[in-house]
Amino acid sequence: MNEQISKMINDYIEKGDFVGAVADEDITKAENKLGCKFPQEYKEFIFIKSYVSGGICGVEVLGVEGNEYASVVDATERFRKFGLPEKYLVIENVDEFVYCLNTEADHSVIRWDDISKNEIKRYSSFDEYLQDSFQEAIDNWE
């Protein structure tokens, strides 16, 4: 995770914004359940012991909350039932659409909805998505 994202989190974090640490085995279990490997940038975000899952200023990044629950698994499985391709992980649910991380090829972030089923590339990487989403939330928060 880049320094700018870390700074935004440190500057705007409030109690309860992020779920605490989980074991590496919990992340592996989530990967196995979804049948894919999480891209490195996403792993770096969810491996950071104080983050794992959550966000700032109203942005909620889905992740692995523990041995018994992973919001990224629940959301991804739910949207796969609506036709979301297997290569995507749901990383944020914005109600009208979801942001999804490509687990293959370029690891870009797309916007997808269960009505049109259109895959619209929005960001070239998870870090780009995270930085832009957090910055927009901060700008709207202030």
Side-chain angles (χ1 to χ4, degrees):
M1 179 171 22
N2 72 41
E3 288 181 33
Q4 182 63 29
I5 295 169
S6 293
K7 182 176 179 351
M8 285 189 265
I9 292 171
N10 290 331
D11 288 350
Y12 289 90
I13 194 168
E14 295 179 2
K15 185 176 181 176
D17 280 349
F18 289 93
V19 173
V22 297
D24 294 348
E25 297 81 42
D26 297 337
I27 295 168
T28 301
K29 180 180 174 183
E31 288 178 315
N32 291 339
K33 190 161 189 184
L34 293 173
C36 62
K37 291 289 183 193
F38 295 168
Q40 189 60 37
E41 285 182 347
Y42 182 65
K43 275 186 164 181
E44 288 173 7
F45 177 74
I46 62 176
F47 274 127
I48 294 173
K49 299 242 183 271
S50 61
Y51 302 156
V52 183
S53 172
I56 57 171
C57 302
V59 174
E60 182 72 24
V61 180
L62 304 178
V64 178
E65 289 79 9
N67 185 34
E68 298 301 318
Y69 182 70
S71 57
V72 69
V73 172
D74 280 1
T76 300
E77 288 180 334
R78 177 175 172 238
F79 282 94
R80 283 180 178 174
K81 290 177 185 172
F82 299 129
L84 179 70
E86 297 281 320
K87 66 182 177 180
Y88 294 122
L89 298 175
V90 176
I91 56 173
E92 183 183 2
N93 185 341
V94 189
D95 293 328
E96 308 89 45
F97 61 89
V98 290
Y99 282 115
C100 303
L101 182 57
N102 189 339
T103 62
E104 299 175 357
D106 64 359
H107 300 151
S108 61
V109 174
I110 62 133
R111 176 185 160 171
W112 187 88
D113 70 81
D114 61 340
I115 305 297
S116 72
K117 312 261 191 272
N118 289 334
E119 300 173 24
I120 302 168
K121 185 174 178 178
R122 296 283 299 163
Y123 302 99
S124 60
S125 69
F126 177 74
D127 277 2
E128 182 184 359
Y129 149 79
L130 203 57
Q131 186 167 339
D132 186 63
S133 296
F134 282 174
Q135 187 61 60
E136 183 178 345
I138 289 166
D139 291 345
N140 291 329
W141 195 261
E142 296 178 332

